[in-house]
Each structure stands twice: as C-alpha cells, then as structure tokens.
C-alpha cells in the first residue's frame, strides 16, 4: 500500500518507535516567540538542562509588541518584561533572535517562510496553533503547548502518536473576485469548526495547485480552525520557485540535492486516507463570518441566518453568537456597519495580500467614522510594500501604516477593538473577546476588508470599480 | 511536581456551551506573565467578571457549584490557541477532570502535562450527566483512572479511553523530558544521518 505525504514526512522523522509510548519524532525546526516560551526556559533552568540544538531554534517577538514607533519605549511594563525575558533566554542559550531591531523581525509564521527557513519535508513546531501555516510547503507543522516547547528545547524531539489523515479534494475553479481566504472560510463553513479534529489534512486538487505560495499559506494557516492537527500541500514547482534564492534556502549543489529529495514528497496514488471529502470551489463567494467561530460564516450576498434555519445541533451556539455579535437574523451583510478594519495577521499580511488590498483602496478614502489599519506581517513585507508605494496608497486613503506584528489579531498590545465595536478583520479567529473584550469580529479577505473600510459597511468586492493608482513618490 | 492521579471524586459543574475556546478559558491580557502559576483567578475572566464583580449568571459563580473540581463541557472543548495557560488556569482553579463529547487536540494533549484528566464520553452520556448535575444539588462524580471508569452514586457508569502512555503520565507524574533524554544516543545517531537544508548561526550575543 502506498503512503500519504503525511506518512512520508512522519516516517522520515521517527527516531524511536516505542511500543509502550508514542514515537519519538525528530524536529527539524523549532520556532519560538515571547508568549509561550518563558515558562519553558524556566523549566530548563530548574532542571539544569540546556537547549539541545540552538542552531535549529529560531526566535522572534511578535505577539505582545507595539506596532507604533519602535524608537519609543514600551508603554506596557508587563509586555516589556516578557520581551526582555525572551532576549535574555536567547542570549543565555545561544538562540538566534530576530528582535525588534532586526530587519527580519515579524510574525513567526510570516518570517520563517520568507527567509527560506521553512522547507518541504521538515517537521516544524512552535508554541502557536497557526504553525499549520508552514504545511503549505509540504512540511509537517503543528502547534504545541509550553510543556512541549520545553521538551523540544531539551531534546529536539517530540513524543507523538500518528494522527488520522483527511484529504480535502478541491475541484472546479475559484471564481473571479474570490480569494484563498474565501475558499478556506467556505470549507470551514461547510464542514464545521471541529470537522478535522484528530486529523492531518492534505489539501489536494487543481485549485490548490493553481494557488501561489502565499495563498497556500492562507489556506493551511486556517487548518486549525477546523480542528486539524496540521494542514499539508504537496510541494511542487511553485514551492521550489518560491524558495529558490531565499536567504536561508540551500544554494548550488545543496539546492540540487534538496530538490531531488523534495520531489519525492507526494501522496502515492494507492495511498489510503482515513477520510476524503470533495469540495467544489466554483461556488465560492466572498465570505463574511457572522458568529463567534470561523465556521459561522456565509456569502456576502446572503443575510444573517436565523438559528431556526440551521441544523438543531448548531442552533444554541448560533443564538449565543448572534447575541454577542449584536446581529439580527435576516440582516443583509452589506448593511452591516463597521467601526474598525484590520488588515494583517499570519493569515493575510503578506505582500500579495497588501497588493490586493491596495488595489481596492487606491483612489478612495476610508469612511470618516471608521478606524482602519494595515499591519504588515514582517519588516521584509513592510520594506517591499514601501518600495512599491503601497504604504502611500494606504496612508493617502486614511489607513494607519504600522510596524510588523500580530497586533489586532489578538489585541495583546494597544491595538484593540473596544467593547461593542464591530471590526472587519483579515485574521483567523472571531472568538468572543479575541480582539478585545466585547469586540465583534467579522473575518474576511484582504479585498473585502479594504472595500469595507472605504464604504463603512461590507460590500461585494466582485462589483468593485478599481481606480488606476496615481503615480506615487516625487 | 504534579500530584499523581489515581482515583478522584468531586463536585461537577455544567458549562453548557459548545466550542469553548482557549481565549475564553484564559483571555490574552493574562498571557504576558512569565510564570506558570497563579492563573486560576483569571479563569474564564470575561465570562466570570463584569466591572470587577462576579457575574451571578455565570455558572462557576453560583453557590451550589463552589469548590467544583469536575467540569462538564460540550463538544470541541479547548479549541483555538495552543496556550497552555488554559490548563494552567483550570488546574489552578481546582479542576482535575473535564468531561466532554470531544476536545480540541492541542488542549487535550496539554491537559495530561498538567495533572488534568480529559474524558471523552458519548453525547448521550454527557447529556445525562448535565441533566443529573442540574437536578441534584451537590452532584458528584467519581473517576477511577486504573479501570477507566466514571461513576456516580445513582447508577451511572461509563468506560472511557485513554492511551496507556497518557494514563501512566497522570498516574506516575512521569518526567517526560528525562525519559526522552535516555534516548540521547539514538537521537544523536539519527541526527548524523538526517539532512537539514538550512543553517542558522548561533546567537552572537550568546553568553555561553
Ligand atoms: S497573527 Fe494572530 S494568529 Fe497569527 S501568530 Fe499572531 S496572534 Fe497568532
């Protein structure tokens, strides 16, 4: 019997296959950040242990840092201490840290791919559930808790049982005016917030093959939002072209060797998945979530649903969500007014996302009563956007243009949505209180968020009239 | 060190909400601390408190459930962020057992590292436990890890699955890192054969 992509990557990393314990799996790359690591380092110190492979550990700070002027001192003392703790830990244990002064700093799931550290066939872990993002490269990547962070620091391995496998075959063609974000939100909306629990997902089919690397990252990023342990996409020429010449990607002879290894990373024709579903992409419309989990969403042309129209098992949660969201059933989505718009997060803050949003925004102005911000995923994305003049498009339209970080995705810094405020957000979670206590989050694509910022309410971007960008600079 | 888990009896409290995420269990404003302890006071913070006062409409605040140590929950409990602060908060508050029809993977795994036993029972069994908890004040559940059973004193009995390794983790309070380090040589020889195609330099500022 053939092997799935997941089997192949997993099997290549088994150090020890135990009978009375889960296998010991080797970890190729361990990403760490300020929020979920301090207690792990403390654990090491308490037990007189060291970091086994500092050269396979990469750190950055992204979650709790301010996105405003970095030359100013931190206003939040507790966050400052957390960032300092990470600096001290990295210094003590010899770990490479892309700190706030580094030109490589950014959201951990944005920087590892763009630096070429994320590579096909690797095992990658991070104390963060959106580690699934890296699966876009055909790497087995998943989030872990702090105890496991400590385990990986000390041993460069993890104990893990094999997961079940789920193939999502995506057929048809993604319609014009829709995006990878709409695709993944539609999938989660159709199958539910916990559909993939216990499974590693492989996204397959022509639609996936036609996505760019950044779009694939958007899809894999949200695997965890349907409960998936990880999300995978078979690496192909798109992947290899993306990686070639990246700062940490192999060069010369090494590149050729790596390529020949990476080309073996695919699911065999006769491999068997535990579960297979087929999804038709041709019916995808721009999505807006109306509830408090990413599975509670609908198309922009729909209305806010009535709980009675949903399956019984979903009704109670829908009622609670609508109440929290302050929404009436039957309300058309394009009449929902917004207070904030956030373009950013590890789902949608890469250069292509910003280009798409800028294209919508160009020549328009943000509605007066609304606060809109763009937070690039990394310093590299920010520099690139500035080179292309995208920053000026956003600034002219009335957006804030910020330094890179997680920002309003989880509101650990000052970028929060206030109680009762409504926000269109390109992030990945619309949980109660995610962007701030009492904050009402609607997940959308960058294009939808940009258009909503201009109009002050949701609009169908498929009908958007784009204006030519005036020459910037001079 | 975490208290070994063998058998346990405690008061149950029913949290009748689907998809309880870890943002709800412990909101992000409490993730800036660098300690591992003291999170119980922040458990379900935004649901538990309003303007600094306890909300009477939240189940954990009701008199009859004070001192509860068995949490009855609904499907997909612990979804969302991987933050281990969630089990830290639950355990610090006093919970040792969580019963639900399903759990999110990362949360489920994190529980075992923190002396909490997450138990999956069928929807029907969980429904029955919710009903009994609502009806009987001071309703208690007992869990025997060795035989993998949940029982009450009114005839309820259900078997639950747990892998032998995880069971041992709770029963013996295993030092997982220590036990993996016993395979140090195996890891070393694996590393010698295994190719990695990136090179990260050590932190130049390193003090060692
Ligand atoms: S951007 Fe949001 S989801 Fe992504 S790592 Fe940061 S906080 Fe987590």
């Amino acid at each position: 019997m053939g092997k799935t992509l997941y089997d192949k990557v997993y099997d290549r990393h088994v150090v020890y296959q135990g009978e009375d314990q889960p296998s010991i799996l080797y970890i190729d790359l361990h990403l760490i950040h300020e929020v979920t690591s301090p207690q792990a380092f403390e654990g090491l110190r308490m037990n007189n242990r060291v970091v086994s492979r500092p050269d396979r550990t990469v750190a950055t700070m992204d979650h709790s840092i301010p996105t405003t002027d970095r030359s100013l001192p931190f206003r939040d003392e507790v966050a400052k201490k957390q960032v300092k703790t990470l600096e001290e830990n990295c210094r003590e244990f010899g770990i490479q840290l892309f700190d706030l002064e580094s030109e490589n700093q950014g959201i951990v799931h944005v920087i590892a791919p763009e630096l070429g550290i994320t590579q096909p066939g690797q095992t990658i872990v991070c104390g963060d559930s959106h580690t699934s993002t890296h699966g876009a490269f055909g790497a087995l990547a998943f989030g872990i808790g702090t105890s496991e962070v400590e385990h990986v620091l000390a041993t460069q391995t993890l104990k893990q049982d094999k997961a079940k496998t789920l193939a999502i075959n995506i057929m048809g063609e993604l319609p014009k005016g829709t995006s990878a974000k709409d695709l993944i939100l539609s999938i989660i909306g159709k199958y539910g917030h916990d559909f993939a629990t216990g499974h590693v997902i492989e996204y397959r089919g022509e639609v996936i093959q036609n996505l760019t690397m950044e779009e694939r990252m958007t899809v894999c990023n949200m695997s965890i939002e349907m409960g998936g342990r990880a999300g995978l996409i078979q690496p192909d020429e798109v992947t290899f072209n993306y990686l070639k010449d990246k700062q940490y990607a192999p060069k010369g002879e090494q590149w050729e060797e790596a390529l020949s290894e990476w080309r073996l990373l695919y699911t065999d024709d006769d491999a068997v998945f535990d579960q297979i579903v087929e999804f038709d992409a041709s019916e995808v419309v721009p999505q807006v979530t109306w509830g408090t989990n990413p599975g509670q969403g609908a198309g922009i042309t729909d209305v806010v649903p009535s709980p009675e129209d949903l399956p019984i098992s979903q009704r109670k949660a829908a009622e609670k969500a609508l109440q929290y969201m302050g929404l009436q059933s039957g309300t058309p989505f394009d009449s929902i007014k917004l207070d904030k718009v956030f373009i950013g997060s590890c789902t949608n803050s890469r250069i292509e996302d910003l280009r798409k949003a800028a294209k919508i925004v160009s020549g328009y102005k943000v509605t007066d009563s609304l606060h809109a911000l763009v937070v690039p995923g990394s310093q590299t994305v920010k520099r690139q956007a500035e080179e292309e003049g995208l920053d000026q498009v956003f600034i002219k339209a009335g957006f804030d243009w910020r330094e890179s970080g997680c920002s309003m995705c989880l509101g650990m810094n000052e970028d929060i949505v206030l109680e009762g405020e409504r926000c269109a957000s390109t992030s990945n979670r619309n949980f109660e209180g995610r962007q701030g206590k009492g904050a009402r989050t609607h997940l959308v694509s960058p294009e939808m968020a940009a258009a909503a910022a201009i109009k002050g309410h949701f609009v169908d971007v498929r009908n958007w009239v784009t204006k030519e960008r005036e020459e910037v600079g001079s | 060190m975490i208290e070994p888990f063998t058998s346990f009896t405690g008061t149950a409290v029913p949290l009748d909400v689907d998809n309880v995420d870890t943002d709800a269990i412990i909101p992000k404003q409490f993730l800036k601390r660098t300690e591992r302890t003291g999170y119980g006071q922040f458990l379900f913070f935004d649901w538990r408190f309003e303007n600094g006062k306890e909300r009477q409409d939240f189940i954990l605040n009701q008199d009859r459930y004070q001192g509860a140590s068995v949490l009855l929950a609904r499907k997909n409990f612990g979804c969302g962020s991987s933050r281990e602060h969630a089990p830290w908060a639950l355990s610090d508050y006093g919970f040792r057992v969580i019963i639900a029809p399903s759990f999110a993977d990362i949360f489920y795994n994190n529980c075992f590292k923190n002396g909490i036993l997450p138990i999956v029972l069928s929807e029907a069994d969980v429904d029955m436990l919710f009903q009994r908890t609502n009806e009987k004040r001071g309703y208690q559940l007992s869990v025997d890890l060795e035989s993998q059973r949940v029982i009450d004193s009114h005839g309820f009995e259900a078997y639950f699955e747990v892998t032998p390794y995880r069971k041992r983790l709770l029963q013996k309070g295993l030092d997982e890192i220590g036990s993996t380090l016993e395979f140090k040589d195996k890891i070393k020889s694996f590393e010698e054969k295994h190719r990695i195609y990136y090179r990260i330099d050590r932190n130049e500022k390193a003090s060692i």
Side-chain angles (χ1 to χ4, degrees):
Chain A
M1 195 176 75
K3 286 180 165 190
T4 63
L5 172 57
Y6 168 63
D7 295 329
K8 290 185 184 177
V9 181
Y10 184 96
D11 292 351
R12 279 190 56 210
H13 290 87
V14 174
V15 173
Y16 172 77
Q17 188 149 22
E19 265 160 30
D20 56 345
Q21 66 166 19
S23 293
I24 299 180
L25 207 61
Y26 193 75
I27 300 302
D28 294 336
L29 175 62
H30 186 192
L31 303 167
I32 59 175
H33 62 82
E34 75 276 25
V35 177
T36 54
S37 68
Q39 296 85 357
F41 283 109
E42 193 50 36
L44 288 184
R45 268 189 293 269
M46 269 162 43
N47 293 293
N48 274 322
R49 287 173 177 145
V50 294
V51 173
S52 159
R53 294 302 300 251
D55 58 335
R56 288 179 186 173
T57 316
V58 178
T60 192
M61 31 189 76
D62 52 7
H63 281 69
S64 62
I65 55 163
T67 53
T68 44
D69 190 349
R70 294 216 163 137
S71 60
L72 299 174
F74 262 52
R75 267 188 283 191
D76 181 340
E77 282 302 319
V78 198
K80 183 173 156 192
K81 182 175 171 230
Q82 199 172 48
V83 162
K84 267 197 94 61
T85 305
L86 180 65
E87 281 169 359
E88 286 161 10
N89 285 332
C90 288
R91 205 175 307 135
E92 180 180 343
F93 293 99
I95 294 166
Q96 184 63 256
L97 167 68
F98 299 124
D99 62 13
L100 292 186
E101 281 156 32
S102 165
E103 55 176 30
N104 290 337
Q105 180 272 342
I107 304 172
V108 63
H109 311 308
V110 175
I111 66 170
E114 75 186 3
L115 292 171
I117 305 173
T118 297
Q119 295 169 8
Q122 290 176 331
T123 44
I124 305 177
V125 296
C126 174
D128 188 283
S129 59
H130 292 99
T131 310
S132 60
T133 312
H134 308 264
F137 291 78
L140 176 57
F142 47 88
I144 54 178
T146 298
S147 297
E148 290 190 326
V149 169
E150 186 179 336
H151 191 280
V152 179
L153 286 173
T155 68
Q156 202 59 29
T157 68
L158 203 58
K159 284 184 174 149
Q160 200 174 68
D161 288 314
K162 220 161 166 179
K164 286 189 244 150
T165 51
L166 162 67
I168 303 186
N169 291 331
I170 305 169
M171 311 305 190
E173 203 178 329
L174 207 50
K176 205 164 170 288
T178 61
S179 66
K181 182 65 163 290
D182 299 314
L183 172 66
I184 190 66
L185 281 173
S186 307
I187 294 175
I188 302 169
K190 175 167 178 186
Y191 296 110
H193 183 39
D194 59 351
F195 172 66
T197 302
H199 292 75
V200 167
I201 306 165
E202 184 179 335
Y203 300 94
R204 296 159 62 83
E206 216 174 313
V207 175
I208 294 294
Q209 285 160 11
N210 290 334
L211 296 179
T212 66
M213 270 330 283
E214 295 195 1
E215 291 169 332
R216 293 179 189 185
M217 284 190 249
T218 300
V219 170
C220 287
N221 173 274
M222 294 196 69
S223 302
I224 182 74
E225 306 313 333
M226 55 184 140
R229 204 179 274 185
L232 284 169
I233 291 175
Q234 175 192 321
D236 57 13
E237 296 309 313
V238 176
T239 322
F240 309 144
N241 289 335
Y242 175 95
L243 277 172
K244 196 161 173 34
D245 301 324
K246 290 271 188 285
Q247 190 175 341
Y248 288 91
K251 309 271 154 38
E253 218 173 280
Q254 276 226 346
W255 170 258
E256 294 304 325
E257 279 171 38
L259 261 192
S260 56
E261 220 177 90
W262 296 344
R263 288 193 200 283
L264 303 174
L265 297 167
Y266 53 84
T267 291
D268 297 328
D269 287 341
D270 56 342
V272 177
F273 289 92
D274 293 298
Q275 216 188 145
I276 300 180
V277 297
E278 312 269 333
F279 184 86
D280 183 4
S282 15
E283 275 154 35
V284 170
V285 291
Q287 297 288 298
V288 182
T289 63
W290 50 263
T292 51
N293 78 55
Q296 293 174 321
I300 176 70
T301 43
D302 292 336
V303 295
V304 174
S306 158
E308 291 89 67
D309 298 338
L310 299 170
I312 294 180
S313 62
Q314 296 174 17
R315 279 185 204 162
K316 211 161 132 202
E319 268 164 30
K320 186 168 184 286
L322 289 178
Q323 195 187 3
Y324 177 85
M325 292 295 288
L327 289 174
Q328 291 293 330
S329 302
T331 311
F333 282 112
D334 58 9
S335 70
I336 298 174
K337 292 212 165 41
L338 296 155
D339 305 296
K340 288 216 162 81
V341 166
F342 169 61
I343 299 180
S345 91
C346 57
T347 317
N348 283 126
S349 64
R350 298 180 178 84
I351 191 68
E352 289 173 11
D353 297 316
L354 303 194
R355 284 184 193 135
K356 286 176 192 157
K359 201 165 166 202
I360 300 272
V361 165
S362 178
Y364 289 97
K365 285 245 173 302
V366 169
T367 297
D368 275 347
S369 56
L370 186 147
H371 181 205
L373 67 164
V374 181
V375 185
S378 70
Q379 289 297 301
T380 309
V381 172
K382 181 166 186 263
R383 271 193 310 277
Q384 174 75 29
E386 287 172 355
E387 248 166 56
E388 297 178 18
L390 305 182
D391 60 326
Q392 291 308 317
V393 173
F394 289 118
I395 292 166
K396 259 194 204 152
F399 280 83
D400 281 6
W401 177 251
R402 296 293 184 84
E403 299 293 335
S404 50
C406 294
S407 178
M408 204 177 270
C409 172
L410 90 163
M412 267 188 84
N413 65 0
E414 289 164 359
D415 309 335
I416 56 166
V417 177
L418 301 176
E419 193 152 358
E421 278 188 339
R422 196 176 289 290
C423 177
S425 176
T426 66
S427 55
N428 43 49
R429 283 189 179 137
N430 49 353
F431 296 160
E432 281 187 24
R434 173 75 178 183
Q435 296 189 295
K437 185 174 189 239
R440 293 161 172 170
T441 304
H442 297 270
L443 302 177
V444 288
S445 71
E447 294 92 321
M448 286 288 286
I454 306 300
K455 293 293 179 195
H457 56 82
F458 292 113
V459 287
D460 189 340
V461 281
R462 292 175 300 182
N463 308 325
W464 192 258
V465 182
T466 53
K467 299 187 187 173
E468 279 305 307
R469 186 172 3 147
E470 307 152 37
E471 274 312 301
V472 277
S474 80
Chain B
M1 204 69 225
I2 292 156
E3 231 179 290
F5 193 116
T6 47
S7 57
F8 182 79
T9 300
T11 305
V13 56
L15 182 64
D16 193 7
V17 186
D18 281 352
N19 298 315
V20 172
D21 57 74
T22 53
D23 274 83
I25 297 173
I26 178 102
K28 60 207 99 283
Q29 61 266 37
F30 309 111
L31 308 186
K32 292 177 197 163
R33 302 169 74 247
T34 49
E35 297 84 19
R36 214 181 180 117
T37 49
Y39 290 93
Q41 53 188 314
F42 310 126
L43 178 71
F44 293 117
F45 193 84
D46 292 346
W47 290 353
R48 231 166 104 201
F49 303 102
E50 177 103 64
N51 303 322
K53 281 211 199 73
E54 285 193 358
R55 294 175 51 154
Q56 273 320 299
D57 59 350
F58 186 60
I59 198 101
L60 286 192
N61 292 335
Q62 296 174 7
D63 276 350
R64 58 185 282 198
Y65 297 118
Q66 293 315 300
S69 51
V70 176
L71 183 63
L72 282 180
R74 295 293 188 184
K75 69 165 181 145
N76 200 23
F77 188 82
C79 60
S81 155
S82 63
R83 58 188 71 162
E84 201 161 318
H85 308 69
W88 293 340
L90 286 159
S91 129
D92 192 47
Y93 183 89
F95 286 114
R96 301 227 55 201
V97 175
I98 308 172
I99 301 176
S102 63
F103 291 90
D105 291 335
I106 306 177
F107 175 82
Y108 182 81
N109 193 35
N110 282 340
C111 282
F112 290 94
K113 323 260 176 200
N114 293 285
I116 298 176
L117 172 62
I119 296 178
V120 178
L121 293 184
S122 70
E123 293 261 0
D125 278 345
V126 172
D127 276 345
M128 181 184 291
L129 295 182
F130 265 91
Q131 203 186 335
R132 291 191 180 186
T133 312
N134 286 327
E135 281 166 4
K136 301 185 174 63
R137 223 185 147 88
Y139 179 74
Q140 292 203 325
L141 280 166
S142 299
V143 173
D144 182 48
L145 183 54
E146 185 52 42
S147 67
Q148 301 178 212
R149 262 163 224 288
V150 185
I151 52 170
D152 72 4
S153 52
H154 310 275
F156 177 89
E157 181 169 350
Y159 175 82
F160 61 89
E161 298 284 350
V162 56
T163 65
Y165 177 73
R166 285 183 164 137
K167 189 167 170 177
R168 239 173 31 238
L169 256 186
L170 283 182
Q171 286 174 329
K172 306 233 165 79
L174 262 188
D175 168 18
E176 282 199 283
I177 297 178
S179 83
T180 302
L181 284 173
E182 287 170 20
F183 292 87
K184 222 175 173 169
D185 295 342
K186 276 211 159 56
I187 298 173
K188 267 245 128 11
S189 58
F190 178 92
E191 278 179 328
E192 278 159 20
K193 290 179 295 199
H194 184 70
R195 294 284 311 254
I196 301 257
Y197 292 103
Y198 70 87
R199 228 193 86 199
I200 297 284
D201 293 321
R202 271 176 69 90
N203 186 347
E204 302 117 45
K205 295 179 198 156
S207 57
I208 45 170

